[in-house]
Amino acid sequence: MWTPANQLERERFDKLNRMQEMGIAAYPNRVQRTHTAVEAIRAYEAVENENHEAAAPVEVTVCGRVVRQNLKGKVWFAHIEDGTGRVQLFVRADNVSEAAYTLLKGEIDLGDFVQASGTMMRTRAGEVSVLVQDFAVLAKALSPLPVIKERVTEDNQVERFGAFSDVEERYRQRYADLAVNPDVRKVFRDRAQTVAALRRFLDGAGFLEVETPILQPIYGGAAARPFVTHHNQLHQDLYLRISFELYLKRLLVGMYDAVYEIGRDFRNEGVSFKHNPEFTQLEFYQAYTDYFGMMDVTERLVAYAAEAVTGSTTITFEGHTIDLTPPWQRITLRDAIRQRCEIDYVDYPDAESLYAAMRAADIEASPKDTWGKLVDTLLGTVVEPTLIQPTFILDYPRDISPFAKAVPGDPTHVERFEMFVGGMEMGNAFTELNDPLDQQARFEEMARLYADESDEATPLDEDYLRAMRYGMPPCGGCGIGVDRLVMLLTDRSTIREVLLYPHLREK
RNA sequence: GGGCGUGUAGCUCAAUGGCAGAGCAGUGGCCUUUUAAGCCAUUGGUUAGAGGUUCGAGUCCUCUCACGCUCACCA
């Protein structure tokens, strides 16, 4: 049985008990809403604009949460809020039953859900309000929400007093965060719009949306530690997927020309402002094209989503104005690095010499890294933070890209690009490798490279190779981090602000 | 995992090693057109947790927990 944790909850609990003694249902089953808050106001304004004289009274029943109340003698004002907005209730003691007035005067708190019936009118101060004739509780709030007051200034800005800003508590009690912080609600509406826009674009471009296994006997498609779980009846360990890649490409063997999936990936890695253990990924694959085709689709896709969410392809992120209008800048990885630190990595064709050159240039790196990993470190440290405007970085070292086709005439590089915006990696794409024998060699190469780091090795997927031996059309594929895209479009600096329930440790 | 920082009332925050406070919210009172309503009065604390130093600890020390920033890790 719940007991009040403090004085505020005790007061509310007492009110609940008093209501029960009065025979008032604190959590009734039925509501009689006829108008949302915004509909009620609009209905009145419409009549008001039409004809003052013959206007029929606008009768409404509205429902919502009490977000402000002000008892002034024998008059009670309150704002209630629903999903559409707020409307003011205006109660006069001699205009409602004694029971109703006693109820709202004595037992109603901020946070309670209520229902009010009455006639729309305009108060002396000019606010369209419900002149209440009947009043009921819909749900008593036993715990107090953080108190935030608002004032609408003369230039129509909302000024807020008070806050619920403790980051940890906001995430742990996201419901309270959403209830009192409208800008947080906006972020997740924008998130939904982003995902909807991605689907709309890809559906319109002829891609088929599919769903592939989250529980997998073999994980693959990326280099990351997986989460492991177990199926009891099958006596089988299963992995939560770290990417969709290998399952989606099998579908091109199965003669779909273009497929995509939006879903959750799980990576058993560190947590940071741009990493969460589970995150939402978009991957799309298209036959009869290559990574150049993927660049075209990607930049149009992202611009489309930006337009849908923000109304423009020019956005603001962390104080930067970012223009997502295609075409985006394209530069090879080699040139991008060479421009920024005067290391041309082709001059250092092995890990030892490249490591030495990086140390000489005062760039942190691990001496145990492979050559490809060192190149990636260069990208991450000297290039990535500078890529504010949308940029495709092209052509990556072969040994960190086991699923990409080699650049013709250059066996050390593969046709791969990553897209960067706002100093963040947002996506990764290849001209997909479709040579089954080369793919098998890559798997074996990866196994050798990661021989001493068993948990990072990409396991050899025999079934994927079998699929490829049936023949896979030439294709391009791309993965986009949806959370990071939402961060960009909503101007949030951490992934946790765009995840409803980010991962937190148990307290 | 390393470094730095934070944790005080429901919320937002104060408090030289010396009585633990304010605003909002709550409670009681006045007020029949308020809107951050106002005025008067007033309640509310395991100072994240455990231990230590001290005559005396929110404050200093040690450990633990959570969160933030940062580095590492994350091809």
Side-chain angles (χ1 to χ4, degrees):
Chain A
M1 181 65 190
W2 174 79
T3 50
N6 55 52
Q7 183 192 343
L8 297 178
E9 289 188 341
R10 267 193 303 279
E11 298 281 358
R12 285 166 182 253
F13 191 49
D14 290 346
K15 290 172 184 175
L16 176 68
N17 289 328
R18 282 201 297 270
M19 284 164 58
Q20 275 162 358
E21 282 162 21
M22 287 187 275
I24 295 168
Y27 304 96
N29 289 41
R30 306 285 168 246
V31 296
Q32 284 97 31
R33 179 161 88 161
T34 62
H35 293 69
T36 66
V38 165
E39 283 168 358
I41 291 168
R42 293 225 175 105
Y44 179 75
E45 286 173 342
V47 169
E48 207 179 32
N49 290 338
E50 236 170 60
N51 187 341
H52 283 279
E53 305 267 318
V58 178
E59 304 288 345
V60 303
T61 298
V62 292
C63 301
R65 194 196 280 280
V66 177
V67 293
R68 175 195 147 246
Q69 62 167 339
N70 175 16
L71 183 67
K72 187 182 175 353
K74 298 226 161 33
V75 181
W76 185 75
F77 291 96
H79 276 116
I80 63 168
E81 178 174 318
D82 63 19
T84 65
R86 295 182 176 187
V87 65
Q88 181 169 255
L89 307 184
F90 176 26
V91 177
R92 293 209 287 220
D94 52 15
N95 218 25
V96 296
S97 70
E98 202 179 320
Y101 194 74
T102 307
L103 172 68
L104 65 83
K105 183 179 175 182
E107 322 302 350
I108 296 300
D109 290 299
L110 293 177
D112 294 351
F113 284 92
V114 300
Q115 169 177 290
S117 303
T119 312
M120 297 306 294
M121 49 92 67
R122 202 177 271 278
T123 62
R124 205 169 287 168
E127 179 164 353
V128 176
S129 308
V130 184
L131 180 60
V132 176
Q133 279 114 40
D134 202 9
F135 179 85
V137 181
L138 294 179
K140 181 70 193 162
L142 287 176
S143 298
L145 284 166
V147 177
I148 295 171
K149 296 191 170 190
E150 291 183 355
R151 181 177 64 183
V152 181
T153 58
E154 283 170 13
D155 47 351
N156 232 14
Q157 301 284 357
V158 175
E159 194 177 357
R160 309 192 89 210
F161 303 86
F164 180 44
S165 54
D166 182 287
V167 172
E168 181 179 351
E169 288 310 315
R170 283 183 47 234
Y171 298 157
R172 285 193 194 279
Q173 302 188 59
R174 185 64 97 176
Y175 33 86
D177 186 27
L178 291 164
V180 302
N181 289 324
D183 51 324
V184 176
R185 288 208 290 269
K186 173 82 160 64
V187 167
F188 294 100
R189 287 207 179 89
D190 287 348
R191 181 180 176 116
Q193 288 223 346
T194 304
V195 173
L198 296 175
R199 283 211 166 88
R200 211 159 50 235
F201 181 93
L202 289 166
D203 291 344
F207 286 80
L208 178 74
E209 179 169 12
V210 297
E211 293 176 279
T212 64
I214 291 173
L215 293 174
Q216 304 181 345
I218 299 177
Y219 62 94
R225 279 182 279 264
F227 288 95
V228 188
T229 186
H230 186 78
H231 190 294
N232 290 336
Q233 205 180 0
L234 300 180
H235 305 296
Q236 181 186 15
D237 279 342
L238 291 167
Y239 301 97
L240 276 66
R241 65 181 173 192
I242 58 172
S243 85
F244 321 153
E245 171 139 3
L246 301 183
Y247 280 98
L248 289 179
K249 282 193 284 191
R250 282 172 169 92
L251 299 177
L252 301 187
V253 174
M255 295 303 282
Y256 292 113
D257 277 355
V259 296
Y260 75 97
E261 178 165 7
I262 295 176
R264 213 66 68 85
D265 268 342
F266 306 85
R267 295 188 184 175
N268 207 336
E269 307 276 3
V271 174
S272 80
F273 74 93
K274 52 182 177 177
H275 296 88
N276 195 65
E278 53 182 296
F279 62 100
T280 299
Q281 180 94 340
L282 161 65
E283 289 190 25
F284 53 94
Y285 294 83
Q286 188 170 25
Y288 316 117
T289 185
D290 53 28
Y291 74 150
F292 291 111
M294 290 297 101
M295 285 183 235
D296 294 337
V297 174
T298 299
E299 62 193 10
R300 284 190 292 122
L301 172 67
V302 171
Y304 180 82
E307 176 91 41
V309 173
T310 70
S312 168
T313 55
T314 300
I315 61 164
T316 301
F317 181 69
E318 293 185 338
H320 300 285
T321 299
I322 295 177
D323 186 359
L324 296 168
T325 314
W328 297 353
Q329 195 193 346
R330 300 178 184 191
I331 181 172
T332 65
L333 177 57
R334 181 183 166 196
D335 287 344
I337 292 173
R338 203 157 45 168
Q339 279 175 10
R340 286 168 180 82
C341 70
E342 295 177 350
I343 293 178
D344 186 350
Y345 62 70
V346 299
D347 294 341
Y348 309 94
D350 56 81
E352 291 71 25
S353 62
L354 182 56
Y355 175 73
M358 287 167 67
R359 291 316 308 252
D362 223 24
I363 296 164
E364 292 277 333
S366 164
K368 287 180 296 185
D369 283 349
T370 64
W371 184 80
K373 214 164 176 177
L374 289 171
V375 171
D376 196 59
T377 300
L378 277 173
L379 168 64
T381 54
V382 307
V383 179
E384 182 169 349
T386 69
L387 298 176
I388 305 300
Q389 297 300 320
T391 307
F392 292 117
I393 300 289
L394 280 58
D395 298 347
Y396 282 63
R398 171 192 160 102
D399 69 341
I400 53 171
S401 313
F403 300 106
K405 253 184 194 170
V407 173
D410 179 4
T412 63
H413 285 80
V414 294
E415 292 193 351
R416 170 183 179 183
F417 72 79
E418 292 185 308
M419 55 173 279
F420 295 85
V421 191
M424 268 192 304
E425 182 198 334
M426 307 275 303
N428 183 21
F430 318 125
T431 299
E432 301 291 341
L433 183 56
N434 65 342
D435 174 342
L437 303 180
D438 190 0
Q439 182 67 73
Q440 182 163 355
R442 302 287 194 93
F443 273 128
E444 287 162 359
E445 202 177 306
M446 294 305 288
R448 276 200 306 280
L449 282 172
Y450 288 98
D452 51 343
E453 297 171 68
S454 56
D455 53 353
E456 269 193 50
T458 304
L460 193 147
D461 191 333
E462 288 284 5
D463 182 70
Y464 178 64
L465 291 172
R466 178 171 65 178
M468 200 177 281
R469 285 195 295 269
Y470 282 119
M472 179 187 290
C475 56
C478 181
I480 292 178
V482 172
D483 311 286
R484 291 184 187 175
L485 180 60
V486 174
M487 286 168 66
L488 186 74
L489 298 184
T490 58
D491 195 9
R492 303 289 129 167
S493 56
T494 79
I495 197 168
R496 293 181 154 197
E497 289 292 339
V498 301
L499 297 170
L500 278 169
Y501 302 105
H503 176 75
L504 297 173
R505 286 175 205 255
E506 260 184 294
K507 229 175 174 175

